[in-house]
Amino acid sequence: MNRIPKKKTLLLAFFLGIFFIPAKAQKILSVQKISLRAPADIKVDGKTTEWDNKFQAYNPANRIFYTLSNDDDNLYLTVASTNDGYCFSKILYGGITFTIQKGSKELKNIAITYPTVVKSLKGPIIDRDNALRGFVKFNDTTKSDVKKKRDSLVSIISEKLNDLFKEVKVEGIAETQEPLISIYNAEGIKLSAQYNNHLQYVYELAIPLKYLNSTIKNGEKLRYNIRLNGRPAMPGEVIYDDMYKSLGPDNMYVYTFTDLDGEYTLSKK
């Protein structure tokens, strides 16, 4: 039986083993139920400061926090991973697919996937020793040297993530000529992701409402799906059913897809 190679992975988070869920996580819903007007100062920059770092839902099966919102021009999705490391790993290896169902067999669903899978992963983003050194006594941010190391490491990871993932997969939008387009595109689809000081991967997406006109006319609800695709087998790696059983719940979560379904009605002024 082949086994999962014991080598350095692409991911910092595998080595940290730190799990972060805000105290309010147990009090919020697992699927967002309300319509929400986006802040006037919203920016698709991989940061959540305009939301005061709060979310409308925490979905434990997916291990993500998320908020859906809109203004007159765009539908926004903001997602943050937990910082147990496994969620970060799952997203980077398989991506997040956000699907809006058109509600008609004649119309193709809109689906946005990011990050897209990199065919060849040439080494880790950062090695284990640096990761551990950088986050020693992570919670003790009163020590300036610890905070400096943490902030520097977070900056390095975010920079390398942006260097790796420059394309987004788009389906169901006729204006896109290719299935993979640049994150800096002419279609008005905005996307950004960062790694923050809470060791969370934060993803922000904006989809112009003009692509959803056939779905949202007459105040109809948007039916959506958020899917974490899971880590695919790497080249030369074979995974058997009995291997899945031996992975344990955390690694099983990384290797298999999880998703959630919801409905959203556009918020009006």
Side-chain angles (χ1 to χ4, degrees):
M1 179 188 305
N2 293 333
R3 295 188 176 182
I4 300 171
K6 293 182 179 179
K7 62 182 180 180
K8 293 179 181 178
T9 73
L10 167 71
L11 309 167
L12 162 71
F14 268 133
F15 305 115
L16 296 178
I18 304 170
F19 191 79
F20 170 81
I21 297 180
K24 293 185 179 180
Q26 301 302 320
K27 298 179 181 179
I28 62 178
L29 299 174
S30 61
V31 176
Q32 181 173 329
K33 298 296 183 182
I34 66 169
S35 300
L36 191 64
R37 196 75 182 170
D41 61 344
I42 191 167
K43 294 180 180 179
V44 181
D45 57 4
K47 301 176 183 179
T48 57
T49 50
E50 64 266 49
W51 294 109
D52 195 25
N53 301 316
K54 296 177 182 178
F55 295 86
Q56 291 299 311
Y58 169 67
N59 191 272
N62 287 277
R63 305 190 188 186
I64 59 168
F65 303 86
Y66 81 95
T67 296
L68 268 175
S69 64
N70 69 275
D71 53 24
D72 292 336
D73 300 314
N74 296 291
L75 177 69
Y76 300 93
L77 173 65
T78 304
V79 174
S81 71
T82 53
N83 75 346
D84 62 348
Y86 295 101
C87 186
F88 181 40
S89 173
K90 181 172 184 168
I91 291 171
L92 292 193
Y93 274 114
I96 298 173
T97 299
F98 179 56
T99 300
I100 299 170
Q101 300 174 11
K102 285 295 189 71
S104 170
K105 293 182 179 179
E106 290 75 30
L107 297 173
K108 188 175 181 181
N109 293 339
I110 290 176
I112 310 291
T113 300
Y114 184 87
T116 54
V117 177
V118 177
K119 292 181 179 179
S120 176
L121 302 178
K122 299 179 180 179
I125 285 179
I126 195 160
D127 64 71
R128 177 177 180 171
D129 293 336
N130 281 340
L132 292 175
R133 282 199 298 270
F135 286 95
V136 170
K137 298 181 181 178
F138 167 77
N139 290 320
D140 190 1
T141 55
T142 58
K143 295 186 176 181
S144 60
D145 60 330
V146 172
K147 185 178 185 300
K148 184 177 180 180
K149 289 179 180 179
R150 181 201 63 188
D151 293 349
S152 176
L153 193 56
V154 165
S155 177
I156 291 170
I157 294 168
S158 290
E159 180 179 350
K160 289 187 177 292
L161 289 177
N162 290 327
D163 286 342
L164 271 175
F165 303 108
K166 292 183 177 296
E167 293 181 316
V168 54
K169 183 178 180 181
V170 179
E171 301 171 86
I173 295 179
E175 287 79 356
T176 58
Q177 301 300 312
E178 300 292 338
L180 290 177
I181 65 173
S182 170
I183 58 174
Y184 311 106
N185 57 79
E187 287 79 5
I189 298 168
K190 299 177 183 178
L191 201 146
S192 182
Q194 298 287 333
Y195 196 64
N196 70 18
N197 286 349
H198 293 298
L199 310 186
Q200 294 173 289
Y201 179 82
V202 178
Y203 156 110
E204 288 191 292
L205 168 68
I207 303 176
L209 293 180
K210 65 183 180 180
Y211 298 132
L212 310 178
N213 285 339
S214 61
T215 304
I216 59 178
K217 60 182 179 181
N218 301 322
E220 294 178 5
K221 290 183 177 181
L222 293 171
R223 291 186 295 162
Y224 66 89
N225 176 274
I226 301 173
R227 172 180 168 127
L228 277 62
N229 295 305
R231 175 185 166 176
M234 295 292 103
E237 182 178 48
V238 180
I239 302 174
Y240 299 99
D241 289 342
D242 56 348
M243 180 176 288
Y244 273 118
K245 296 177 183 177
S246 68
L247 286 175
D250 288 327
N251 285 315
M252 176 77 79
Y253 160 81
V254 173
Y255 275 86
T256 56
F257 85 85
T258 53
D259 68 343
L260 66 91
D261 292 303
E263 292 184 336
Y264 182 81
T265 302
L266 291 183
S267 175
K268 304 295 183 181
K269 282 186 179 179

mmCIF file of all heavy atoms in Angstrom, residues 19-30 55 57-60 65 82:
data_model
loop_
_atom_site.group_PDB
_atom_site.id
_atom_site.type_symbol
_atom_site.label_atom_id
_atom_site.label_comp_id
_atom_site.label_asym_id
_atom_site.label_seq_id
_atom_site.Cartn_x
_atom_site.Cartn_y
_atom_site.Cartn_z
ATOM 1 N N PHE A 19 -5.474 26.344 16.937
ATOM 2 C CA PHE A 19 -6.876 26.374 16.499
ATOM 3 C C PHE A 19 -7.531 27.613 17.062
ATOM 4 O O PHE A 19 -7.495 27.854 18.259
ATOM 5 C CB PHE A 19 -7.606 25.132 16.996
ATOM 6 C CG PHE A 19 -8.958 24.953 16.380
ATOM 7 C CD1 PHE A 19 -9.091 24.431 15.108
ATOM 8 C CD2 PHE A 19 -10.091 25.330 17.074
ATOM 9 C CE1 PHE A 19 -10.343 24.276 14.540
ATOM 10 C CE2 PHE A 19 -11.345 25.172 16.510
ATOM 11 C CZ PHE A 19 -11.469 24.640 15.244
ATOM 12 N N PHE A 20 -8.122 28.399 16.181
ATOM 13 C CA PHE A 20 -8.691 29.676 16.609
ATOM 14 C C PHE A 20 -10.141 29.774 16.177
ATOM 15 O O PHE A 20 -10.443 29.697 15.003
ATOM 16 C CB PHE A 20 -7.904 30.835 15.982
ATOM 17 C CG PHE A 20 -8.538 32.179 16.166
ATOM 18 C CD1 PHE A 20 -8.379 32.873 17.340
ATOM 19 C CD2 PHE A 20 -9.289 32.750 15.151
ATOM 20 C CE1 PHE A 20 -8.957 34.133 17.499
ATOM 21 C CE2 PHE A 20 -9.874 33.993 15.309
ATOM 22 C CZ PHE A 20 -9.699 34.682 16.483
ATOM 23 N N ILE A 21 -11.043 29.920 17.127
ATOM 24 C CA ILE A 21 -12.428 30.255 16.837
ATOM 25 C C ILE A 21 -12.831 31.332 17.835
ATOM 26 O O ILE A 21 -12.720 31.132 19.037
ATOM 27 C CB ILE A 21 -13.368 29.049 16.997
ATOM 28 C CG1 ILE A 21 -12.994 27.949 15.996
ATOM 29 C CG2 ILE A 21 -14.804 29.468 16.781
ATOM 30 C CD1 ILE A 21 -13.877 26.721 16.097
ATOM 31 N N PRO A 22 -13.245 32.497 17.356
ATOM 32 C CA PRO A 22 -13.639 33.542 18.286
ATOM 33 C C PRO A 22 -14.704 33.071 19.262
ATOM 34 O O PRO A 22 -15.474 32.157 18.969
ATOM 35 C CB PRO A 22 -14.184 34.635 17.352
ATOM 36 C CG PRO A 22 -13.508 34.402 16.053
ATOM 37 C CD PRO A 22 -13.354 32.919 15.959
ATOM 38 N N ALA A 23 -14.762 33.722 20.389
ATOM 39 C CA ALA A 23 -15.701 33.311 21.436
ATOM 40 C C ALA A 23 -17.136 33.331 20.951
ATOM 41 O O ALA A 23 -17.965 32.536 21.398
ATOM 42 C CB ALA A 23 -15.542 34.229 22.647
ATOM 43 N N LYS A 24 -17.450 34.224 20.013
ATOM 44 C CA LYS A 24 -18.816 34.343 19.544
ATOM 45 C C LYS A 24 -19.198 33.299 18.497
ATOM 46 O O LYS A 24 -20.321 33.258 18.037
ATOM 47 C CB LYS A 24 -19.043 35.744 18.955
ATOM 48 C CG LYS A 24 -18.980 36.848 20.010
ATOM 49 C CD LYS A 24 -19.322 38.181 19.386
ATOM 50 C CE LYS A 24 -19.294 39.297 20.428
ATOM 51 N NZ LYS A 24 -19.621 40.609 19.830
ATOM 52 N N ALA A 25 -18.219 32.457 18.113
ATOM 53 C CA ALA A 25 -18.491 31.506 17.036
ATOM 54 C C ALA A 25 -19.636 30.571 17.359
ATOM 55 O O ALA A 25 -20.370 30.147 16.484
ATOM 56 C CB ALA A 25 -17.235 30.699 16.722
ATOM 57 N N GLN A 26 -19.770 30.217 18.630
ATOM 58 C CA GLN A 26 -20.826 29.299 19.017
ATOM 59 C C GLN A 26 -22.199 29.967 19.009
ATOM 60 O O GLN A 26 -23.211 29.291 19.090
ATOM 61 C CB GLN A 26 -20.530 28.732 20.415
ATOM 62 C CG GLN A 26 -19.199 27.982 20.495
ATOM 63 C CD GLN A 26 -19.100 26.825 19.533
ATOM 64 O OE1 GLN A 26 -20.068 26.095 19.333
ATOM 65 N NE2 GLN A 26 -17.951 26.640 18.915
ATOM 66 N N LYS A 27 -22.248 31.280 18.899
ATOM 67 C CA LYS A 27 -23.516 32.001 18.972
ATOM 68 C C LYS A 27 -24.051 32.390 17.598
ATOM 69 O O LYS A 27 -25.165 32.881 17.498
ATOM 70 C CB LYS A 27 -23.337 33.257 19.832
ATOM 71 C CG LYS A 27 -22.936 32.951 21.279
ATOM 72 C CD LYS A 27 -22.761 34.245 22.066
ATOM 73 C CE LYS A 27 -22.330 33.966 23.497
ATOM 74 N NZ LYS A 27 -22.137 35.218 24.259
ATOM 75 N N ILE A 28 -23.253 32.213 16.553
ATOM 76 C CA ILE A 28 -23.722 32.597 15.239
ATOM 77 C C ILE A 28 -24.168 31.363 14.468
ATOM 78 O O ILE A 28 -23.811 30.234 14.799
ATOM 79 C CB ILE A 28 -22.647 33.370 14.451
ATOM 80 C CG1 ILE A 28 -21.402 32.512 14.210
ATOM 81 C CG2 ILE A 28 -22.289 34.651 15.170
ATOM 82 C CD1 ILE A 28 -20.342 33.225 13.394
ATOM 83 N N LEU A 29 -24.945 31.585 13.421
ATOM 84 C CA LEU A 29 -25.536 30.493 12.661
ATOM 85 C C LEU A 29 -24.502 29.799 11.789
ATOM 86 O O LEU A 29 -23.474 30.371 11.424
ATOM 87 C CB LEU A 29 -26.658 31.041 11.781
ATOM 88 C CG LEU A 29 -27.834 31.699 12.518
ATOM 89 C CD1 LEU A 29 -28.785 32.325 11.506
ATOM 90 C CD2 LEU A 29 -28.567 30.680 13.382
ATOM 91 N N SER A 30 -24.784 28.558 11.423
ATOM 92 C CA SER A 30 -23.879 27.819 10.545
ATOM 93 C C SER A 30 -24.085 28.193 9.083
ATOM 94 O O SER A 30 -23.199 27.980 8.257
ATOM 95 C CB SER A 30 -24.072 26.308 10.734
ATOM 96 O OG SER A 30 -25.400 25.934 10.415
ATOM 97 N N PHE A 55 -18.206 37.974 11.325
ATOM 98 C CA PHE A 55 -18.843 37.268 10.231
ATOM 99 C C PHE A 55 -20.281 36.920 10.573
ATOM 100 O O PHE A 55 -20.668 36.880 11.723
ATOM 101 C CB PHE A 55 -18.061 35.987 9.903
ATOM 102 C CG PHE A 55 -16.679 36.246 9.377
ATOM 103 C CD1 PHE A 55 -15.620 36.425 10.249
ATOM 104 C CD2 PHE A 55 -16.439 36.335 8.018
ATOM 105 C CE1 PHE A 55 -14.348 36.689 9.777
ATOM 106 C CE2 PHE A 55 -15.176 36.589 7.530
ATOM 107 C CZ PHE A 55 -14.124 36.771 8.402
ATOM 108 N N ALA A 57 -21.739 33.985 9.693
ATOM 109 C CA ALA A 57 -21.932 32.552 9.911
ATOM 110 C C ALA A 57 -20.597 31.877 10.174
ATOM 111 O O ALA A 57 -19.554 32.315 9.676
ATOM 112 C CB ALA A 57 -22.621 31.910 8.712
ATOM 113 N N TYR A 58 -20.660 30.826 10.968
ATOM 114 C CA TYR A 58 -19.522 29.922 11.132
ATOM 115 C C TYR A 58 -20.022 28.513 10.858
ATOM 116 O O TYR A 58 -20.930 28.025 11.542
ATOM 117 C CB TYR A 58 -18.914 29.984 12.534
ATOM 118 C CG TYR A 58 -17.918 28.863 12.748
ATOM 119 C CD1 TYR A 58 -16.731 28.845 12.027
ATOM 120 C CD2 TYR A 58 -18.196 27.809 13.611
ATOM 121 C CE1 TYR A 58 -15.827 27.803 12.166
ATOM 122 C CE2 TYR A 58 -17.295 26.766 13.770
ATOM 123 C CZ TYR A 58 -16.120 26.763 13.043
ATOM 124 O OH TYR A 58 -15.222 25.716 13.175
ATOM 125 N N ASN A 59 -19.472 27.863 9.837
ATOM 126 C CA ASN A 59 -19.913 26.532 9.443
ATOM 127 C C ASN A 59 -18.893 25.495 9.902
ATOM 128 O O ASN A 59 -17.799 25.396 9.326
ATOM 129 C CB ASN A 59 -20.100 26.467 7.921
ATOM 130 C CG ASN A 59 -20.806 25.205 7.497
ATOM 131 O OD1 ASN A 59 -20.173 24.193 7.261
ATOM 132 N ND2 ASN A 59 -22.139 25.255 7.415
ATOM 133 N N PRO A 60 -19.204 24.733 10.941
ATOM 134 C CA PRO A 60 -18.209 23.822 11.515
ATOM 135 C C PRO A 60 -17.810 22.679 10.597
ATOM 136 O O PRO A 60 -16.676 22.207 10.662
ATOM 137 C CB PRO A 60 -18.894 23.306 12.784
ATOM 138 C CG PRO A 60 -20.352 23.512 12.561
ATOM 139 C CD PRO A 60 -20.467 24.738 11.708
ATOM 140 N N PHE A 65 -15.625 30.703 8.456
ATOM 141 C CA PHE A 65 -16.502 31.819 8.737
ATOM 142 C C PHE A 65 -16.820 32.469 7.392
ATOM 143 O O PHE A 65 -15.967 32.505 6.506
ATOM 144 C CB PHE A 65 -15.805 32.852 9.628
ATOM 145 C CG PHE A 65 -15.307 32.300 10.935
ATOM 146 C CD1 PHE A 65 -14.050 31.704 11.012
ATOM 147 C CD2 PHE A 65 -16.076 32.380 12.078
ATOM 148 C CE1 PHE A 65 -13.578 31.192 12.217
ATOM 149 C CE2 PHE A 65 -15.613 31.866 13.290
ATOM 150 C CZ PHE A 65 -14.364 31.269 13.354
ATOM 151 N N THR A 82 -10.625 28.698 9.718
ATOM 152 C CA THR A 82 -10.126 28.573 11.085
ATOM 153 C C THR A 82 -8.611 28.474 10.975
ATOM 154 O O THR A 82 -8.058 28.288 9.893
ATOM 155 C CB THR A 82 -10.674 27.300 11.762
ATOM 156 O OG1 THR A 82 -10.393 26.171 10.918
ATOM 157 C CG2 THR A 82 -12.165 27.401 11.991
#
